Every structure is written in structure tokens, then in C-alpha cells.
Amino acid sequence: MTTSESNSLPFEVNDGFKSAFEPGFYDQILTHDLFEKQVMPFEIKTSIHNCFACDNKKFIKPLELGNFDASVMVIGEVPSDVDFKTPEGQLLVKTLTWANYSLEDVYFTSLCKCETTATPERCYTHLLSEILCVRPAIIISLGYDVGKFFDSNINMAGYTTNLLDKFEMITTYRTIFTMSDRNLYEEYCNHIMFAKHKVDNKLQGVHD
């Protein structure tokens, strides 16, 4: 469904509102000033849902983009990786629940904002703005392709990197690849649990 076909967007749009993350300015995010900018959920949703940064004309963006106060961020490669309605999304939720995550404390997003796109590097700005807004205690990257946008040295699942010198990110497998391989799924579960211990320790340190 395109914006023009929809009766309403899932958030209020102020036509007079201008944002530093206005859709299309994906090449501006790397400036120092924008890294230090206070990024707001309204800006992110407006930028993503009205994006014209690539030639994808379908504008199918299924993610709800909620829980901006979450301490955990899970990043898929495409929306279906973290969409509760897909088989891989359902397995992700079951695994997180098994590992004692509160789903209300998890921000689910993806590198590519549309389900089909050939230019994920142009979605990268949106993802950076989400990270700057949520400021999660831990980031779980589902797949190497997501992680490598932040750290080209990632070469294995379970790799931990320090994103922007501020945010710790753990890379694991895409859930869809673990659904038919028990060994991969066991590793995936270990990575999810490892991230849970990390975030618990960080939050405990804040409260001490």
C-alpha cells in the first residue's frame, strides 16, 4: 500500500515540520553535528514513511517502529526478519521470550525499511538515526550484512563490536537461516542469551 492509497499514516504528520533527517538526505548523517543531535521518534517515523532516498516505489514499510525507550535493539536485514507475522519473526520472539527478554523493552527494526530494496546503503541513515534516538544498552544484529555496515571486520557470528564508540553490538545469524539447522539455532540462542547477560549487567551497573 502506498502513502497515496492509505487513508492515514500510523502517526500524525505536520506539513510544516522540517527535520534534519528529512527523507533523501541520507548522505548527511555522518556529520559530527548530526551525531550529537537529539533525534526524536517523530522525525524518524516521518523520514522513514515518506522516504524517497531510492527508486523503490512500493513504499511497503511494515514495521511499527515503537518502544523508543527500549534498552535492547534488534536489527534484521529486512523487515520480515523482525516482523511478528512471519515464521522467522515468530521464532525470534519465541527465542527472546525463552531468554527472558521483555518484548516491551526491545526495539525491533531492520537495515532495509522496505521489504524489497536494492539499495540498503541508502536506508543506513534511517538506522543510524534510530540508534541515536533509542540509545540502546545492547544491539543484536541479525546477520553479517547488517553488522558489516558498522564494522567491516565482522567475520563470524558472536562477534562483538563497539558501534560509534558508544553502543555495543553483537552479531548473530539471521533467524531464517537457523530454522533448518539445529547447530546454528543453538549458537543463535547462545548469542541471544549472551546479549541478555550483557544488558542485564549494564542495567544493574546503572542502578547500583
Side-chain angles (χ1 to χ4, degrees):
M1 180 183 295
T2 64
T3 300
S4 60
E5 294 171 345
S6 175
N7 293 327
S8 63
L9 290 170
F11 54 90
E12 296 298 323
V13 176
N14 181 346
D15 292 336
F17 182 83
K18 295 296 182 181
S19 166
F21 296 103
E22 186 176 4
F25 289 89
Y26 53 85
D27 58 340
Q28 300 295 317
I29 188 68
L30 297 179
T31 64
H32 178 76
D33 288 345
L34 288 184
F35 268 135
E36 298 302 323
K37 177 180 170 60
Q38 179 68 39
V39 188
M40 304 300 292
F42 178 87
E43 296 177 279
I44 293 171
K45 289 184 175 183
T46 302
S47 183
I48 291 174
H49 282 273
N50 296 292
C51 181
F52 56 81
C54 73
D55 294 329
N56 187 349
K57 303 302 183 184
K58 293 183 178 180
F59 299 110
I60 301 172
K61 301 178 177 69
L63 299 184
E64 294 182 2
L65 302 176
N67 297 348
F68 281 90
D69 293 325
S71 57
V72 178
M73 175 180 281
V74 177
I75 306 173
E77 184 176 331
V78 294
S80 59
D81 288 336
V82 294
D83 188 340
F84 295 177
K85 297 185 292 293
T86 65
E88 56 268 39
Q90 291 171 9
L91 181 58
L92 170 64
V93 167
K94 289 179 181 178
T95 307
L96 291 171
T97 301
W98 163 81
N100 293 319
Y101 286 80
S102 168
L103 297 184
E104 295 180 355
D105 194 37
V106 180
Y107 181 89
F108 295 95
T109 189
S110 56
L111 171 62
C112 300
K113 301 309 178 188
C114 299
E115 189 58 41
T116 56
T117 182
T119 56
E121 66 278 0
R122 296 192 178 185
C123 300
Y124 179 56
T125 296
H126 294 313
L127 183 55
L128 282 174
S129 66
E130 289 173 281
I131 293 170
L132 290 172
C133 180
V134 177
R135 297 188 175 275
I138 201 76
I139 299 171
I140 301 173
S141 167
L142 302 179
Y144 296 12
D145 289 340
V146 175
K148 282 184 177 292
F149 267 88
F150 303 105
D151 186 344
S152 60
N153 294 318
I154 294 175
N155 58 8
M156 60 182 293
Y159 189 99
T160 300
T161 190
N162 196 10
L163 173 63
L164 309 179
D165 295 325
K166 295 181 179 180
F167 310 105
E168 190 169 9
M169 182 178 72
I170 297 170
T171 298
T172 187
Y173 303 104
R174 285 184 69 187
T175 311
I176 195 169
F177 295 146
T178 71
M179 298 176 71
S180 59
D181 189 317
R182 182 178 180 84
N183 291 330
L184 286 186
Y185 182 62
E186 287 181 356
E187 286 188 59
Y188 169 89
C189 288
N190 288 334
H191 300 151
I192 296 291
M193 184 61 76
F194 178 66
K196 183 63 166 63
H197 290 322
K198 285 272 190 179
V199 72
D200 286 349
N201 288 339
K202 289 186 178 184
L203 295 179
Q204 182 63 41
V206 170
H207 296 147
D208 287 345

